Amino acid sequence: MKIFVKDNNVDQALRFLKKKMQREGLLREMKAHTFYEKPSEKRVREKAEAIRRARKLARKKAQREGLIPMPKPKPRPVRPSNPFAPTTTMSKPPAA
């Protein structure tokens, strides 16, 4: 895995590396290999993960078919298009 550092910005490259490792599941795998996991515990964990995946897939399918409502979208913060643009001033104060 290669991460290129642009303009000596190591912090940004490190953040990008952490995100990439998390997406690929390397952090979870490293944490799992920290301690020995008994085969019976591994079976229980993998079975629970499979059940969780199946439930999620069934929930998504039911939402697409309209059997259960879709989740409400999260409100997104409104950001100005250019934060460095000069602010406009009003010519007259608002009527009260």
Side-chain angles (χ1 to χ4, degrees):
M1 183 181 308
K2 290 185 180 181
I3 304 295
F4 296 103
V5 179
K6 297 176 185 173
D7 300 328
N8 284 339
N9 196 346
V10 178
D11 292 332
Q12 184 179 11
L14 191 61
R15 261 187 277 133
F16 186 74
L17 174 67
K18 285 181 181 179
K19 282 183 184 179
K20 197 169 188 177
M21 288 175 64
Q22 190 171 14
R23 262 184 271 143
E24 292 183 7
L26 286 176
L27 294 177
R28 184 183 300 172
E29 189 174 332
M30 285 172 28
K31 192 181 279 189
H33 286 291
T34 307
F35 300 104
Y36 176 73
E37 185 178 24
K38 290 171 44 178
S40 60
E41 292 173 348
K42 183 177 180 181
R43 276 194 305 272
V44 168
R45 179 182 50 82
E46 287 177 348
K47 188 173 183 178
E49 288 174 359
I51 291 171
R52 201 173 306 120
R53 278 194 309 269
R55 281 185 183 154
K56 183 177 181 180
L57 189 66
R59 185 175 61 246
K60 294 281 186 183
K61 185 178 177 185
Q63 286 175 346
R64 280 194 305 268
E65 293 173 356
L67 299 175
I68 57 175
M70 295 288 277
K72 294 181 181 176
K74 295 178 183 175
R76 293 175 41 176
V78 178
R79 286 192 259 163
S81 58
N82 184 359
F84 301 108
T87 57
T88 58
T89 57
M90 294 191 288
S91 58
K92 60 180 182 177

